[in-house]
Amino acid sequence: MLHDMLLGLRAEVSARVERIEAELHTLTLSRADANDDDEHDPEGVTLSTEWSRLTGLAAQARSDLAEVLAALERWDAGSYGVCTRCGLQIPPERLEVRPFAEHCVACASKSR
């Protein structure tokens, strides 16, 4: 069940990465054709603001995808569900909420 959840997350997050990167590509083309001084454009959100928003979303989506892929690698290696810091089992309840967790609750709280 958890493996299926990870596979679903991988598909979902991969699609999010692709969608955001496509929006970023479209915006890049728009920026190339646009006036550099879009900050004084009274017509809503500026290209620069949208660029900043999309680059942040893209970075987060790529980070989320990396976490899911790392969890799948741990699954394949037989170490999924084992804390990478202390070596104890990660509680199933934590994995249900955060299937890509690599630390148990105690270790995760220490790193904050």
Side-chain angles (χ1 to χ4, degrees):
M1 181 170 133
L2 285 172
H3 189 256
D4 292 339
M5 186 183 295
L6 285 170
L7 293 174
L9 273 173
R10 179 180 64 187
E12 177 186 317
V13 176
S14 293
R16 183 167 30 117
V17 168
E18 288 177 25
R19 179 183 51 78
I20 293 169
E21 288 181 348
E23 288 180 44
L24 210 44
H25 178 71
T26 300
L27 184 64
T28 300
L29 295 176
S30 295
R31 285 184 76 174
D33 295 337
N35 176 348
D36 284 344
D37 187 24
D38 74 338
E39 297 298 324
H40 298 93
D41 183 358
E43 300 293 323
V45 179
T46 64
L47 292 175
S48 296
T49 300
E50 186 65 1
W51 174 264
S52 294
R53 184 185 77 82
L54 286 174
T55 55
L57 288 173
Q60 183 61 56
R62 286 189 291 270
S63 175
D64 292 348
L65 183 57
E67 284 185 310
V68 172
L69 293 175
L72 285 166
E73 286 177 11
R74 289 191 302 279
W75 185 283
D76 291 342
S79 61
Y80 179 80
V82 176
C83 179
T84 59
R85 184 170 290 151
C86 71
L88 296 176
Q89 287 294 117
I90 299 172
E93 299 83 8
R94 175 163 170 75
L95 292 172
E96 286 177 24
V97 173
R98 190 173 172 87
F100 45 83
E102 63 179 293
H103 299 114
C104 65
V105 175
C107 288
S109 64
K110 287 178 188 174
S111 65
R112 290 183 182 176

